[in-house]
Amino acid sequence: MKTIIAACSQNLSGSRASVQTALRTLLAVPWPSQRDVRSCLQLLSVLQWVLSFLLLGIISLLLLIYLVFTSFWPISALYLAWIIFDWDTPERGGRRLPCLRRWPVWKHFRDYFPVKLVKTHELSPSHNYIIGSHPHGILCVGAFCNFITGSTGFGELFPGIRPFLTTLAGNFRLPVFREYLMSGGLCPVTRRAIGYLLSKNGTGNAVAIVIGGAAESLSCRPGVTTLILKNRKGFVRMALQHGANLVPSFSFGENDLFRQVVFEEGSWMRSVQQRFQKMMGFAPCVFYGRGLTSVRSRGFLPYARPITTV
């Protein structure tokens, strides 16, 4: 009996020692620090934004086409009917959702670069404004972060002002993507859409237009700022017609987010880019950024460079 009790006691002490050893080993494993967690969240927030802008519209279109040939075809039919019914909404101020501007993910998006908004003048809610945003860069990160999200404090700096950002009208023809754009306060860069916001939507509207557009993105590279402005006076005429004030806006650091292969003026590749831009409205830029796993790898994510919008 004494032998059995001694054997059991030895096993129990051995088990306790094993558990203690396992706990010490587990606690010795380095846990992610708060800084690592923040960096991961910032990277994921930028990833979802890039994927949304580059792939959401195309994937949604292909998915709806695929559903036509399945038993789920009523989904495609109903959404097509909805788009026909809702066709003119983007040009009538859109359908912005304040909750999307307050989405917590945008704070991580802001801190990734980081993006900062600097106020230099008061904007009265009793007037409407056209904000000339420069430069275009590759993906207009500064303009999006400041005018579409509330993460940089636009609403607090300019109380009573509703910011809108214009983009290519063709983007509002893509299913699901159009809803995503309108919910944030984006509208087509057309005379009709801008005219509606400046004359039929009350006062306190600030319509941001990236003046250089797709043509300016072709000259985007770090350390160099090339603006296309001299022959683009349409936004000035719109301001005169509707009594809107002009507000210049410049995002310092916008051109440092990506590396681009810039083809010289007169080269055949530059000619192809310009022709494509005239036909489709956007320019096929050859660019790269950082990868998902490492800053040293190449990918499609922007580099973490500070952007200051004044």
Side-chain angles (χ1 to χ4, degrees):
M1 188 66 179
K2 291 180 179 179
T3 304
I4 295 174
I5 293 174
C8 289
S9 300
Q10 184 176 2
N11 288 338
L12 288 172
S13 62
S15 299
R16 284 194 295 270
S18 300
V19 171
Q20 291 173 356
T21 302
L23 286 174
R24 282 197 295 268
T25 304
L26 181 62
L27 293 175
V29 176
W31 288 87
S33 64
Q34 291 185 353
R35 181 179 179 181
D36 293 333
V37 173
R38 284 196 301 269
S39 297
C40 182
L41 291 175
Q42 292 168 9
L43 191 64
L44 290 176
S45 67
V46 174
L47 176 64
Q48 65 83 24
W49 178 76
V50 171
L51 292 179
S52 297
F53 267 80
L54 296 182
L55 299 177
L56 180 59
I58 298 299
I59 291 178
S60 300
L61 178 62
L62 294 176
L63 178 60
L64 288 175
I65 293 175
Y66 169 75
L67 292 179
V68 170
F69 302 98
T70 68
S71 58
F72 296 101
W73 63 266
I75 296 177
S76 298
L78 288 173
Y79 190 78
L80 177 61
W82 164 252
I83 287 183
I84 295 174
F85 173 78
D86 197 55
W87 189 261
D88 291 332
T89 299
E91 304 217 350
R92 295 200 301 263
R95 191 169 38 249
R96 59 192 296 150
L97 299 176
C99 60
L100 185 67
R101 290 177 56 85
R102 297 191 298 267
W103 197 18
V105 73
W106 298 131
K107 294 183 179 179
H108 299 297
F109 180 87
R110 172 201 64 195
D111 294 338
Y112 171 85
F113 298 97
V115 182
K116 181 182 179 181
L117 180 63
V118 177
K119 175 183 177 180
T120 60
H121 200 281
E122 293 288 344
L123 298 182
S124 171
S126 61
H127 297 285
N128 286 324
Y129 304 88
I130 291 181
I131 300 177
S133 180
H134 311 274
H136 185 283
I138 297 294
L139 293 178
C140 301
V141 173
F144 177 87
C145 189
N146 287 296
F147 303 133
I148 297 302
T149 80
S151 61
T152 57
F154 185 96
E156 291 74 22
L157 291 174
F158 303 101
I161 302 296
R162 295 182 298 274
F164 296 86
L165 179 62
T166 58
T167 184
L168 293 174
N171 289 329
F172 296 90
R173 305 297 179 249
L174 294 172
V176 181
F177 189 47
R178 68 190 296 272
E179 322 298 340
Y180 177 77
L181 295 178
M182 284 192 293
S183 63
L186 283 106
C187 62
V189 61
T190 61
R191 291 181 179 276
R192 182 184 175 190
I194 297 172
Y196 180 92
L197 292 173
L198 296 179
S199 62
K200 299 180 181 179
N201 199 45
T203 58
N205 301 296
V207 184
I209 304 175
V210 185
I211 308 300
E216 192 174 270
S217 65
L218 295 177
S219 301
C220 166
R221 52 181 153 182
V224 178
T225 300
T226 303
L227 301 184
I228 295 181
L229 178 63
K230 183 177 179 180
N231 296 322
R232 302 203 170 191
K233 305 181 180 69
F235 72 103
V236 180
R237 286 194 293 270
M238 291 288 292
L240 291 171
Q241 291 170 4
H242 299 285
N245 295 338
L246 293 176
V247 180
S249 169
F250 199 96
S251 293
F252 295 91
E254 181 72 44
N255 287 349
D256 298 332
L257 304 182
F258 293 96
R259 303 290 184 269
Q260 180 180 192
V261 180
V262 178
F263 300 101
E264 297 298 328
E265 289 288 347
S267 64
W268 69 273
M269 277 299 298
R270 188 59 170 249
S271 299
V272 170
Q273 288 178 314
Q274 291 172 340
R275 289 180 182 178
F276 190 92
Q277 182 255 321
K278 289 180 180 179
M279 290 188 298
M280 304 299 295
F282 65 93
C285 301
V286 182
F287 68 92
Y288 67 89
R290 61 156 292 178
L292 182 61
T293 57
S294 171
V295 179
R296 297 180 180 86
S297 61
R298 292 188 179 184
F300 54 87
L301 295 179
Y303 291 105
R305 302 287 186 269
I307 300 175
T308 302
T309 302
V310 181

